[in-house]
Amino acid sequence: MRLPQLQIESQPVRLDIQSRKAQVEIRQPRPEVSVQTTRPSLEIESFRPELQIDQTATWNAINGGKPEAFIQRIYSDTPAVMQQHAARTIQKWRQIADLQVKENPLPDVAVSEAIREQAPRQVFGPASLFNTRINFEVRKPEISHTPGEVDIQVQTYRPEVDYAPGSVQYSVTQYPKVIVTPPPLVELQA
């Protein structure tokens, strides 16, 4: 015997969903930049080189130099010449006064005085390669520097933001349902 059965049917729910994205619009004006500069300055002061040539010792060796230096050399040389002359005179008179010599010493003294060379006098300066003195002076340039300046001003602006939020719309196009069909009535016989 067959038992009656329930028949159950179900329909799922159907949803209709529509969504719209959010929209963001951002605008930002460009910043304003102001730049001011001051030029640097550089000042240079240069000096001509100086050349000094001292030829005093050269002219002293060539022609005696200036009269003051010439006379000074003769004057400073005079004591030595006088000492030599005094020594020579004493030597001469000792020779004349020497009684041990039996001959007449005067002719010998006269001849020696006649052929005697004059004592050299230092009238001119000494000759040398280094008589001319050269002095060359170079001065460093004077440099003054003033640095430049840069002044930068920046004006920025906030961004402008427009925001439109998104949305979601939904609707039920089919509601869920369950259909239960009872079995047909069956009479049971006993």
Side-chain angles (χ1 to χ4, degrees), residues 29-175:
R30 290 185 174 221
E32 294 178 7
V33 179
S34 170
V35 179
Q36 294 180 347
T37 59
T38 305
R39 287 187 170 191
S41 66
L42 181 66
E43 295 179 11
I44 301 174
E45 183 179 356
S46 62
F47 304 97
R48 290 187 173 205
E50 293 181 11
L51 175 64
Q52 296 175 350
I53 300 175
D54 183 11
Q55 293 182 318
T56 306
T58 304
W59 287 114
N60 288 343
I62 293 173
N63 62 4
K66 294 184 178 180
E68 298 87 17
F70 186 73
I71 292 170
Q72 179 64 32
R73 268 194 304 280
I74 292 174
Y75 179 74
S76 63
D77 193 35
T78 301
V81 171
M82 293 303 288
Q83 284 180 349
Q84 290 172 3
H85 180 65
R88 205 171 42 251
T89 304
I90 291 171
Q91 171 74 21
K92 180 173 52 172
W93 286 108
R94 279 192 183 156
Q95 188 179 358
I96 294 172
D98 190 7
L99 297 176
Q100 293 179 355
V101 177
K102 296 189 179 182
E103 302 170 359
N104 186 2
L106 290 176
D108 292 337
V109 172
V111 168
S112 66
E113 281 294 317
I115 62 171
R116 176 180 67 83
E117 292 183 15
Q118 294 289 331
R121 305 246 2 219
Q122 187 65 31
V123 179
F124 301 108
S128 171
L129 293 172
F130 306 107
N131 279 350
T132 302
R133 292 189 181 101
I134 298 174
N135 184 20
F136 192 71
E137 182 180 346
V138 179
R139 289 175 55 189
K140 288 185 176 180
E142 293 180 4
I143 301 173
S144 63
H145 172 258
T146 305
E149 294 179 358
V150 177
D151 182 25
I152 301 175
Q153 300 289 329
V154 179
Q155 176 65 44
T156 58
Y157 299 100
R158 290 182 148 191
E160 299 171 2
V161 179
D162 291 335
Y163 176 71
S167 64
V168 177
Q169 293 178 349
Y170 63 93
S171 61
V172 178
T173 57
Q174 178 181 328
Y175 287 98

Side-chain angles (χ1 to χ4, degrees), residues 4-42:
Q5 294 181 348
L6 280 177
Q7 191 177 17
I8 301 173
E9 287 181 37
S10 67
Q11 281 185 344
V13 67
R14 284 192 187 164
L15 297 175
D16 184 19
I17 300 173
Q18 294 179 353
S19 64
R20 194 178 81 211
K21 290 183 180 180
Q23 293 182 349
V24 177
E25 192 176 326
I26 301 174
R27 293 178 308 279
Q28 183 174 13
R30 290 185 174 221
E32 294 178 7
V33 179
S34 170
V35 179
Q36 294 180 347
T37 59
T38 305
R39 287 187 170 191
S41 66
L42 181 66

